[in-house]
Amino acid sequence: MRSITVVGASLAGLSMVRALRAEGYDGEIVVVGEERHTPYDRPPLSKDFLKGDIDAEGLALGDADEYEVLDAQWLLGERAVRLDPVARTVTLAGGRHVRTDGIVIATGAGPRTLPGTDGLAGVHTLRTLDDAQALRAELLDGLPRVVVIGAGFIGAEVASTAHRLGLHVTVVEALPVPLERQLGREMGLVVSSLHSDHGVRLLCGTGVAELIGERRVAGVRLADGRVLPADIVVAGVGVRPNTDWLAGSGVQVDDGVVCDAGCSTGVPGVVAVGDVARCPNPFTGRHARIEHWSSATEQAKTAARTLLTGLSAPAPLTAPYFWSDQYQSRIQVAGYVAPGAEPEVVEGDIDSRTFTAVYRREGTPVAVLSLNQPKFFNRLRRTLVPAAAAVVS
């Protein structure tokens, strides 16, 4: 291959450039990014950046020296609108056609929005640096009442940050138990109790009927009829993969780009990485999009080998891993909490909010959850086995 185009200038896109160079590829690399920013670290957006503790420069992934060594052409502020694998072209919104031999799909995912909120000031999602800058300006502007819709990890982190800024925060969650899908019922209750531990109101089992306000949001009407006054509303109601631009390309799309274990899409010369890639995962026992920082970097290494050799490279057997910082607590999760997996606290105790729990299925450890015990967690995460192996055992 004389040229490779990476569509998506995020962590996954940058990791792909790094992996290609590490594999010895010395051809042309073009990176297309819809955002105007060079790659940056997203996890701090809901924490240190939102509090104002770090600026945009502090989020940068890589420096000028590394970018010079990587020797890639960055087309930032450009949105890909069409992929033609036969003609080997990526079409940009402005009409430009980028011709290429290899294509990497790394377009990630975008936040879901609340219906009927277009043009209503004070309503935010949090996915990009621009999103975080807009939300930070309002949080630091003295507007006291914040309603966070969605008690997932992003929503919980925003609630924690707003609370530390001295604001009045309410979290609304449609599910009866927050994080039950990720952690199971028992530990979902434990982790979500961090809100009440710190005086943040958590309302579960009710959805949102509508937002109140004409030009600016003034309140949130819940499905049960209650009205929550609100100066700022943050919607953390999930994401959808950015795949619209792939329509008609022949790339299979089903809640992301469907790939094999080597990140191959089945279309010659086209691979996918990061939040947009839906690959088979031995720990989940199914195709899944793993929206974690560590997965993006590991996938890039596999995808680079697949793209350069034309053969699907074997993926490393690494347990999915992510972390979240809430209310000055470090939450770490590895593996997959499969149906039927039961947690057991093996170190510390729940009441102190400093503990480690191992989930076992058929007696085999398949996941581990830790609050404020990083060393113990790191030791135990290495013992995890895929869910399929747990069933066999």
Side-chain angles (χ1 to χ4, degrees), residues 59-269:
L59 299 173
L61 292 170
D63 54 27
D65 290 340
E66 182 187 18
Y67 280 89
E68 184 176 355
V69 171
L70 291 175
D71 190 26
Q73 180 184 0
W74 297 82
L75 302 181
L76 301 177
E78 297 276 6
R79 179 168 58 89
V81 296
R82 186 170 181 268
L83 169 63
D84 186 338
V86 176
R88 288 296 190 225
T89 59
V90 174
T91 303
L92 307 184
R96 177 178 177 180
H97 299 282
V98 179
R99 299 191 179 279
T100 186
D101 297 318
I103 297 159
V104 180
I105 302 169
T107 42
R112 296 185 182 276
T113 58
L114 298 173
T117 60
D118 290 346
L120 189 61
V123 181
H124 298 265
T125 56
L126 182 57
R127 183 72 178 180
T128 68
L129 176 55
D130 290 342
D131 292 338
Q133 288 172 328
L135 177 56
R136 181 170 75 170
E138 293 210 331
L139 291 177
L140 299 178
D141 196 34
L143 298 172
R145 299 171 301 183
V146 180
V147 174
V148 177
I149 301 172
F153 287 106
I154 291 296
E157 289 174 0
V158 171
S160 170
T161 299
H163 174 264
R164 291 197 66 188
L165 291 172
L167 306 179
H168 181 276
V169 185
T170 302
V171 180
V172 179
E173 171 57 54
L175 296 175
V177 179
L179 303 172
E180 183 173 7
R181 293 170 183 166
Q182 296 91 340
L183 304 179
R185 183 178 183 85
E186 180 182 350
M187 290 301 163
L189 287 169
V190 171
V191 173
S192 62
S193 68
L194 289 171
H195 295 297
S196 56
D197 286 352
H198 292 82
V200 171
R201 187 184 185 192
L202 174 62
L203 303 177
C204 296
T206 183
V208 173
E210 63 176 343
L211 300 189
I212 300 170
E214 295 184 3
R215 296 182 179 178
R216 182 177 183 87
V217 68
V220 177
R221 190 186 309 278
L222 303 181
D224 59 16
R226 285 178 291 177
V227 175
L228 307 175
D231 301 300
I232 300 170
V233 171
V234 183
V237 291
V239 299
R240 60 182 299 275
N242 294 323
T243 56
D244 292 348
W245 69 287
L246 297 171
S249 67
V251 173
Q252 184 182 356
V253 172
D254 181 8
D255 184 35
V257 175
V258 179
C259 304
D260 65 14
C263 299
S264 171
T265 66
V267 177

Side-chain angles (χ1 to χ4, degrees), residues 376-387:
F376 200 73
F377 170 85
N378 288 330
R379 187 160 71 246
L380 286 179
R381 65 184 283 206
R382 301 188 187 99
T383 69
L384 301 180
V385 300

